[in-house]
Amino acid sequence: MRRTTRQPPWEPGPIPLPGGLLDWRAGRHYDHWQMRPCALCEQPTPLRSHTGEPAHKVCAGNWVSEHPTEARLGRFASDIQPKRRRDDNHA
Ligand SMILES: [Zn+2]
């Protein structure tokens, strides 16, 4: 663990397949401070993508299904699954 005052960049996990569901279980997806308009449906949402873009999980999942090519670029991705400590990233 590093001690920094800033949060480290949030590494996104796998991009879901079209029709698949995003896995946004991390608490960091939830902005406790403010609702912002979803980038996709413009309704207020407390949810954020890994890049901080406001979006409902359902909207983001639909977007991935509707834009499979763009989705590969990683606009919305699932969380990294904390399986076991296989890759222990000691820098
Ligand atoms: Zn939405």
Side-chain angles (χ1 to χ4, degrees):
M1 289 261 203
R2 285 193 214 162
R3 288 200 189 180
T4 48
T5 49
R6 286 193 187 177
Q7 288 194 317
W10 192 4
E11 191 184 342
I15 297 162
L17 294 171
L21 288 174
L22 286 165
D23 187 343
W24 281 6
R25 277 181 241 185
R28 221 167 145 177
H29 285 290
Y30 192 91
D31 186 333
H32 295 267
W33 302 102
Q34 61 176 338
M35 304 278 276
R36 290 178 62 197
C38 171
L40 302 168
C41 77
E42 299 184 353
Q43 296 300 309
T45 176
L47 290 177
R48 305 287 181 266
S49 74
H50 288 84
T51 54
E53 189 174 16
H56 298 102
K57 194 176 87 158
V58 173
C59 294
N62 288 341
W63 183 88
V64 167
S65 298
E66 289 162 15
H67 304 83
T69 308
E70 279 177 84
R72 307 282 302 184
L73 301 175
R75 183 178 182 187
F76 299 113
S78 290
D79 291 339
I80 292 176
Q81 297 304 308
K83 289 182 184 172
R84 289 190 184 185
R85 297 204 170 194
R86 267 193 197 170
D87 31 39
D88 215 355
N89 295 319
H90 288 200

